[in-house]
Amino acid sequence: QVQLVESGGGLVQPGGSLRLSCAVSGSVVSIYTMAWYRQAPGKQRKLVAAITKGGTTSYADSVKGRFTISRDNAKNTVHQQMNSLKPEDTAVYYCNGNINQGNQWGQGTQVTVTS
């Protein structure tokens, strides 16, 4: 069994920064692409950023230049540095991974951007 545990969410003012982390634990055999998704109230869950095992990254247009995804393959962790946060970034952020050839999700962490 595999677990993904997110941390680092919280309340921040517009223009501020947060760093999300996701730790993968359990019976991990293989981890391929990891990603962060977010879901705002009343809206669908959307892809924010993704990173392949080799380190290739991709971002939603709305976060390009502000968010940076990274991973540590040795520690089975993925991070997302979020700068210049805006109120529209408010959402529950979910860690996602292609792990053991299955699609796995974390429980989510709340990010609230408000003055």
Side-chain angles (χ1 to χ4, degrees):
Q1 199 167 5
V2 172
Q3 286 188 321
L4 283 68
V5 179
E6 300 103 332
S7 61
L11 179 68
V12 64
Q13 293 185 340
S17 298
L18 284 174
R19 180 178 170 84
L20 304 183
S21 294
C22 173
V24 181
S25 62
S27 301
V28 177
V29 175
S30 60
I31 304 178
Y32 295 101
T33 297
M34 297 291 297
W36 288 96
Y37 285 72
R38 67 186 182 189
Q39 186 167 19
K43 296 188 176 181
Q44 289 187 329
R45 191 174 299 187
K46 293 185 177 181
L47 178 65
V48 176
I51 184 167
T52 67
K53 187 174 183 179
T56 299
T57 59
S58 58
Y59 298 92
D61 287 344
S62 59
V63 307
K64 280 181 182 177
R66 301 188 297 123
F67 290 13
T68 302
I69 189 171
S70 62
R71 66 190 286 170
D72 185 332
N73 291 332
K75 295 182 179 180
N76 290 344
T77 57
V78 61
H79 307 280
Q80 179 162 273
Q81 179 66 40
M82 306 187 296
N83 298 329
S84 303
L85 283 162
K86 305 175 182 180
E88 50 263 44
D89 294 319
T90 295
V92 178
Y93 284 71
Y94 296 91
C95 179
N96 169 269
N98 182 340
I99 302 170
N100 297 348
Q101 299 184 335
N103 195 31
Q104 306 287 344
W105 293 92
Q107 81 288 352
T109 185
Q110 177 71 46
V111 170
T112 303
V113 185
T114 181
S115 54

